[in-house]
Amino acid sequence: MLNLSLVAMSSLQLTNEKFILGKVSRGLLLTFYVLFSVWLSTFSNGTQGSIGILLICGCALLMVIYTYKRGVVRFTITDTHLQQHTFKGGWVVQWQNVSSLGLCRSHQPTHNLELPWIGIKLKDPKPFIKQACPRLITNLLLEQRSLLHLGARETEKEHLFQDQVLDSSRVELKDGETIKGLQASLYHRMCYQREYWGYDIFISTADLDRDAEEFVGLLRKYWAGSRHTSD
């Protein structure tokens, strides 16, 4: 199950981390690894060999930490917003800017109706686009490429896929502001995804450690609560 900890009466911190160690535990584990590496280095016949073993052990440790951190996803849910934190950046969606949310479902009756994505439809995409850093945008475009392709295929528009996935043409927003580059690419991608699935941004169910419907129910609870509060 996802680890939940109440930050405040109306706030939740969620994470898909399977192992959460305190500072003392991390320190002990690191000390053990260092001692183990030093012990291994004693089997070398020379100084250079010992240094080589220590370097290999150090690189192996860094690779393990890097790989583990890449897979960690955290969510902050409050009565005002939903926030996702990932290794490559994070995004925030204010509940007042959410139009709808739910599980993505296939259009084909012969396929599994539920897709491994949770979708969120925004009233205005501009706040989301403007606060997303280039690294995060790049990751979103790559991560959700398969969903775009599936949408094009299921709606018999697969011939448009290559143009859509590479679309970075300038966009003039309703307020007259012009966006280009990665921000324009994200804007177009959100438009195409909305056309296919009815949502603008997506959360992969692979980033959750609980049932997707349960997670959607939790989001809807906070979303509904924010509307009652604003009223």
Side-chain angles (χ1 to χ4, degrees):
M1 292 293 293
L2 281 165
N3 298 300
L4 304 178
S5 59
L6 284 172
V7 176
M9 183 65 70
S10 58
S11 300
L12 286 176
Q13 297 287 339
L14 290 73
T15 176
N16 66 346
E17 283 189 272
K18 294 179 173 59
F19 306 101
I20 301 179
L21 300 176
K23 290 183 179 180
V24 175
S25 299
R26 290 198 301 267
L28 291 174
L29 190 60
L30 180 60
T31 301
F32 172 79
Y33 187 82
V34 170
L35 293 176
F36 177 74
S37 301
V38 172
W39 176 73
L40 281 180
S41 68
T42 61
F43 288 92
S44 175
N45 294 325
T47 303
Q48 289 185 341
S50 298
I51 294 175
I53 291 175
L54 291 175
L55 288 176
I56 291 173
C57 291
C59 291
L61 177 62
L62 291 177
M63 286 298 297
V64 169
I65 294 175
Y66 174 78
T67 302
Y68 178 76
K69 290 293 185 181
R70 282 187 61 183
V72 174
V73 179
R74 297 184 178 91
F75 295 93
T76 300
I77 308 176
T78 75
D79 57 354
T80 61
H81 68 272
L82 165 67
Q83 185 172 5
Q84 185 189 64
H85 317 263
T86 70
F87 183 75
K88 294 188 177 181
W91 50 258
V92 180
V93 170
Q94 301 294 328
W95 290 126
Q96 63 183 8
N97 193 31
V98 174
S99 176
S100 64
L101 60 89
L103 288 169
C104 289
R105 300 182 184 277
S106 173
H107 306 300
Q108 303 295 329
T110 57
H111 295 173
N112 183 11
L113 291 180
E114 292 186 0
L115 300 176
W117 296 95
I118 294 171
I120 301 175
K121 183 178 180 181
L122 303 176
K123 297 176 182 177
D124 181 8
K126 180 180 176 180
F128 182 89
I129 294 172
K130 298 296 289 186
Q131 55 93 28
C133 67
R135 188 182 183 191
L136 174 64
I137 294 177
T138 301
N139 185 60
L140 291 175
L141 294 175
L142 292 174
E143 184 183 58
Q144 298 172 13
R145 177 188 174 109
S146 60
L147 184 62
L148 178 69
H149 182 262
L150 179 62
R153 188 177 65 190
E154 289 198 354
T155 55
E156 299 182 352
K157 295 181 180 179
E158 195 169 3
H159 60 286
L160 300 176
F161 172 71
Q162 287 300 329
D163 291 333
Q164 292 177 348
V165 78
L166 298 173
D167 193 353
S168 61
S169 56
R170 294 190 179 191
V171 178
E172 184 174 343
L173 302 176
K174 294 180 180 179
D175 59 5
E177 181 180 355
T178 300
I179 58 175
K180 57 184 179 179
L182 283 174
Q183 289 186 340
S185 296
L186 180 58
Y187 179 89
H188 289 299
R189 179 66 63 86
M190 293 168 75
C191 291
Y192 296 134
Q193 298 284 37
R194 178 183 288 201
E195 178 184 348
Y196 294 144
W197 305 110
Y199 301 111
D200 301 306
I201 57 177
F202 301 86
I203 298 172
S204 172
T205 57
D207 293 335
L208 309 175
D209 201 17
R210 58 162 45 194
D211 182 74
E213 290 188 357
E214 183 181 351
F215 187 79
V216 169
L218 183 63
L219 295 184
R220 285 176 173 165
K221 176 182 177 181
Y222 276 81
W223 179 37
S226 70
R227 286 180 290 176
H228 293 154
T229 301
S230 61
D231 293 341

